[in-house]
Amino acid sequence: MSFVKYSELIQEGDVVIIFLGHDSMMPIKVESGAQTQTRYGAIRHSTDLIGRRFGSKVTCSKGGWVYVLHPTPELWTVNLPHRTQILYTTDIANITLMLDLKPGSVVCESVEFHAQRAEKAAQEFKDHKVGHLVTVRNQDVCKDGFGVVGVADAVFLDIPSPWEAIMHAKKAFKRKGGRLCSFSPCIEQVQRTCETLLDHDFEEICTLEVLQRIHDVRSVTLPLPDFGPEEKETESTKIACDHTTEDIPPTANPTNSSVTCKTATPPREMAGHTGYLTFATKPRD
Ligand SMILES: C[S@@+](CC[C@H](N)C(=O)[O-])C[C@H]1O[C@@H](n2cnc3c(N)ncnc32)[C@H](O)[C@@H]1O
């Protein structure tokens, strides 16, 4: 099992996501002879997991069942043991797009000054079989930089004082330049970052916030206006209705006094601020 290549069958040492329900998943490492307790009973790794297909439905010892899923970066994001505030897919998707990332891109990101976190991250990359693609450095990016010069297509910063790392980012970029992103929760951090980016001749500086706007779709029954005495063609069937989600014709009830139609209402308030994403381009040297 690897995070970058799908495997058919579960093997000893694999990471498997146990899916108990949409809001309840747990990652486990498969070890022969081991057992994992769930609310549906125990899962025996040797008999219930090893050799089974990823995606199988597995019956636990108390008779309930779970799905055993192949990890994906997205599933890992919602299941990983938290050590710090992490990024979620809404921001990750935007960052990937705006940094122009593609297979083979060199990205400077994983420098970590906290020794244990750096160690744990390196072990995780190894366990997920992406260790050969990622180098973890245990150093202070603001003092010591990324430890590389002239190699990066993109730089991503998610630290409290990104402005202190910008001159190091500049050195890490390839001569032809590249794209930088800095993630900060507070607008004051954004302001200092933008000023420093300008001082270092970065171009196309822009800051955005990505919020998901989920519409509430429901059927509503509305009273019909009184159109007066009925003529040949009834006016009530021509009532305009806001079909925001689907093109379903409104249905008038038998007495023609009301009409039922689908509506989609956006939320009144947009919760979910995670941070501001500041992007910039480092021009060719
Ligand atoms: C918010 S977390 C990054 C989370 C990561 N983007 C993710 O989604 O998993 C910030 C991390 O940067 C580290 N850090 C903060 N300042 C640093 C610095 N100057 N040099 C290296 N690491 C730093 C912290 O120890 C922390 O682990």
Side-chain angles (χ1 to χ4, degrees):
M1 183 284 308
S2 151
F3 272 49
V4 285
K5 203 165 151 235
Y6 186 77
S7 323
E8 287 288 321
L9 302 179
I10 301 171
Q11 294 174 30
E12 162 110 46
D14 281 354
V15 175
V16 170
I17 308 288
I18 304 292
F19 180 93
L20 300 126
H22 282 288
D23 296 330
S24 179
M25 290 182 257
M26 56 199 271
I28 59 167
K29 191 162 178 180
V30 178
E31 290 167 63
S32 62
Q35 287 195 8
T36 299
Q37 294 298 331
T38 74
R39 61 174 180 256
Y40 303 124
I43 299 169
R44 296 174 195 88
H45 294 205
S46 300
T47 49
D48 297 334
L49 298 179
I50 295 174
R52 299 284 298 267
R53 280 183 189 283
F54 277 104
S56 301
K57 202 169 168 179
V58 165
T59 305
C60 307
S61 63
K62 285 191 205 161
W65 52 264
V66 297
Y67 285 112
V68 290
L69 303 180
H70 196 292
T72 61
E74 190 190 3
L75 277 178
W76 187 247
T77 300
V78 289
N79 283 297
L80 65 92
H82 274 209
R83 292 177 288 273
T84 67
Q85 181 60 43
I86 64 156
L87 293 171
Y88 290 95
T89 39
T90 316
D91 286 316
I92 292 171
N94 225 274
I95 294 165
T96 309
L97 176 81
M98 297 286 279
L99 288 182
D100 294 334
L101 300 188
K102 42 191 155 323
S105 294
V106 178
V107 185
C108 280
E109 196 263 335
S110 294
V111 171
E112 171 59 66
F113 67 6
H114 188 287
Q116 276 167 327
R117 281 185 203 155
E119 229 172 80
K120 189 80 183 94
Q123 185 57 46
E124 221 166 71
F125 290 130
K126 215 169 138 200
D127 287 348
H128 297 174
K129 313 278 191 310
V130 292
H132 61 297
L133 299 173
V134 188
T135 308
V136 177
R137 284 183 201 274
N138 176 211
Q139 60 194 43
D140 186 333
V141 72
C142 298
K143 285 198 195 127
D144 310 316
F146 290 94
V148 289
V149 177
V151 297
D153 296 294
V155 171
F156 176 69
L157 300 169
D158 180 6
I159 55 171
S161 52
W163 53 91
E164 292 180 16
I166 283 168
M167 78 180 177
H168 299 298
K170 214 172 162 182
K171 285 186 202 145
F173 275 115
K174 286 180 177 161
R175 290 202 60 196
K176 69 179 170 72
R179 296 276 290 156
L180 177 140
C181 175
S182 172
F183 175 93
S184 295
C186 304
I187 202 71
E188 292 80 1
Q189 292 167 299
V190 172
Q191 195 173 352
R192 288 190 74 169
T193 305
C194 289
E195 283 163 6
T196 312
L197 285 168
L198 273 176
D199 291 345
H200 284 88
D201 303 320
F202 278 79
E203 295 175 354
E204 299 177 304
I205 301 169
C206 85
T207 298
L208 53 93
E209 182 184 19
V210 193
L211 294 175
Q212 265 182 321
R213 193 166 179 236
I214 297 169
H215 284 56
D216 183 21
V217 179
R218 61 172 76 172
S219 295
V220 290
T221 303
L222 301 170
L224 279 176
D226 184 358
F227 292 110
E230 199 173 300
E231 290 171 19
K232 271 187 188 160
E233 189 185 339
T234 77
E235 282 294 325
S236 60
T237 54
K238 292 185 189 165
I239 190 159
C241 202
D242 181 14
H243 298 290
T244 320
T245 53
E246 289 175 56
D247 195 15
I248 297 172
T251 51
N253 79 7
T255 62
N256 276 353
S257 62
S258 65
V259 65
T260 302
C261 59
K262 284 244 165 155
T263 66
T265 321
R268 280 175 206 275
E269 284 173 23
M270 295 283 288
H273 170 78
T274 53
Y276 299 103
L277 295 172
T278 297
F279 295 95
T281 300
K282 153 80 180 55
R284 182 178 285 278
D285 279 341

